């Protein structure tokens, strides 16, 4: 029996970050949602653990011991075999959790193939050692994440139309947090309650008001991101635009699917290097 699981892109609608703890990790709070764009992970029974990567972004991702999909499999059952296939559609190191969502999808698929009967909550706790974003990706549901990203509380977010835009260059996360620290940006972090958004307008207002604390260091490291965000924010179809995670993917929320499609078409024409996708955001 093969099991195929979707690994949706994760979007940080908002991301507030505090000064680093003693272990170097940063306290944060973020409204995380999942998009209709994503990768696919398929697991089939096999005596040995193997991974094959296909899809448009396959060449950018080596199959080695560091691959999060293989690490997820070893974490779940250190000595069991499975044939894993990853269809890689999302750009690498791009702030939309591709690797984290792939690892989470691998845990979900292998839990079934190996008949382990672990709950999503069990898998989510296990997932924390793979990366701060993996637990929320196991739930694949809109959430307010706190702690250093590992405390996941489900929230309800009204359906949204959006465009994802990546400038076509990877942005490793640790240097963004390092620049954040150098700029001393964590000082004003204040905990807030999880949002209770009833309308898209309420979401848009808070995206603009709370923002993404990593935008300043990310733009410092990749100045063209500032131009990309300015272009998104000045477009009349955009209700709110921000960076997701540590970048470099940005998103623009639009009023309608038609606006998302036409904005995506215009952005693609503007720069052929950009990875641009209209998408839908829904609770689950
Ligand atoms: O946990 P993950 O591997 O996704 O994190 C990547 C890097 O991001 C960490 O090595 C750390 O430098 C930084 N990070 C952080 N604080 C967080 C999450 C990540 O400093 N809450």
């Amino acid at each position: 029996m093969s099991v195929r699981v979707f690994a949706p892109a994760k979007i940080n609608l908002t991301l507030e970050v505090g000064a680093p703890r003693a272990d170097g990790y940063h306290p944060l709070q973020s409204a995380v949602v999942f998009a209709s764009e994503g990768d696919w992970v398929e697991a089939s029974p096999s005596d040995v653990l193997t991974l094959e990567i296909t899809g448009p972004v396959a060449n950018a991702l080596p199959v080695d011991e560091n691959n999060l999909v293989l690490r997820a499999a070893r974490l779940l059952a250190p000595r069991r075999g499975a044939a894993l296939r990853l269809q890689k559609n999302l750009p690498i190191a791009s702030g939309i959790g591709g690797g984290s969502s792939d690892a989470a999808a691998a845990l979900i698929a292998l839990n079934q193939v190996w008949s382990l009967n672990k709950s999503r909550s069990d898998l989510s706790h296990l997932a924390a050692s793979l990366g701060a974003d993996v637990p929320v990706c196991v739930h694949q549901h809109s959430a307010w994440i706190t702690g250093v990203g590992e405390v996941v509380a489900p929230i309800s977010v009204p359906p949204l139309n959006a465009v994802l835009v990546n400038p076509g260059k990877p942005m490793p996360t640790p240097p963004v947090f390092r620049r954040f620290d150098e700029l001393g940006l964590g000082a004003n972090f204040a905990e807030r309650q999880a949002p209770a958004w009833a309308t898209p307008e309420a979401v848009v207002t808070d995206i603009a008001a709370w923002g993404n604390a990593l935008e300043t260091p990310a733009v410092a490291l990749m100045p063209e991101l500032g131009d990309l965000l300015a272009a998104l924010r000045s477009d009349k179809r955009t209700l709110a635009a921000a960076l997701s995670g540590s970048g470099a993917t940005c998103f623009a929320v639009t009023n309608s699917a038609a606006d998302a499609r036409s904005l995506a078409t215009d952005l693609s024409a503007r720069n052929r290097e950009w990875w641009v996708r209209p998408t839908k955001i829904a609770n689950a």
Side-chain angles (χ1 to χ4, degrees):
M1 173 204 57
S2 294
V3 176
R4 194 162 178 257
V5 176
F6 186 52
K10 99 49 266 213
I11 302 171
N12 300 90
L13 291 178
T14 66
L15 177 57
E16 298 167 278
V17 180
R21 309 186 306 196
D23 65 1
Y25 271 75
H26 295 71
L28 53 81
Q29 56 196 1
S30 176
V32 174
V33 293
F34 292 93
S36 54
E37 290 296 302
D39 299 333
W40 285 91
V41 174
E42 187 178 342
S44 311
S46 171
D47 291 338
V48 282
L49 185 65
T50 58
L51 172 63
E52 182 193 354
I53 306 179
T54 62
V57 190
N59 290 340
L61 189 62
V63 178
D64 61 21
E65 291 303 305
N66 293 325
N67 192 291
L68 269 174
V69 169
L70 290 175
R71 286 177 52 204
R74 296 246 158 73
L75 182 68
L76 192 59
R79 278 171 295 279
R80 291 186 81 149
L84 293 164
R85 281 170 68 95
L86 168 62
Q87 185 187 318
K88 193 75 210 155
N89 301 322
L90 301 174
I92 308 293
S94 67
I96 49 176
S100 303
S101 204
D102 296 344
L107 291 174
I108 295 165
L110 290 168
N111 184 44
Q112 268 183 267
V113 168
W114 290 337
S115 303
L116 300 176
N117 294 321
K118 289 187 190 289
S119 66
R120 287 287 172 117
S121 182
D122 291 341
L123 294 175
S124 176
H125 285 118
L126 190 67
S129 68
L130 294 170
D133 275 340
V134 190
V136 71
C137 291
V138 167
H139 289 288
Q140 299 190 333
H141 187 285
S142 308
W144 182 244
I145 63 170
T146 55
V148 292
E150 84 290 6
V151 183
V152 180
I155 56 172
S156 177
V157 177
L160 302 169
N161 293 290
V163 182
L164 296 172
V165 194
N166 181 278
K169 289 184 190 164
M171 177 85 105
T173 300
V176 181
F177 276 103
R178 272 202 299 277
R179 184 59 68 95
F180 177 89
D181 294 342
E182 285 160 13
L183 295 170
L185 293 174
N188 296 326
F189 179 74
E191 285 181 23
R192 63 170 90 243
Q193 297 288 311
W197 289 319
T199 62
E201 291 73 26
V203 182
V204 161
T205 300
D206 288 341
I207 291 171
W210 304 351
N212 180 332
L214 299 180
E215 178 177 324
T216 301
V219 170
L221 292 169
M222 199 187 278
E224 68 202 82
L225 259 185
D227 302 332
L228 171 50
L229 279 163
L232 291 177
R233 286 173 178 153
S234 64
D235 193 284
K236 62 183 188 323
R237 289 161 293 195
T238 298
L239 303 176
L243 187 74
S244 179
S246 58
T249 307
C250 302
F251 65 92
V253 178
T254 60
N255 236 329
S256 66
D259 275 0
R261 280 194 302 271
S262 79
L263 177 57
T265 303
D266 292 352
L267 291 166
S268 299
R270 186 179 173 137
N271 192 325
R272 304 243 163 247
E273 301 291 303
W274 290 353
W275 177 89
V276 184
R277 295 287 183 280
T279 194
K280 284 192 180 298
I281 292 165
N283 264 331

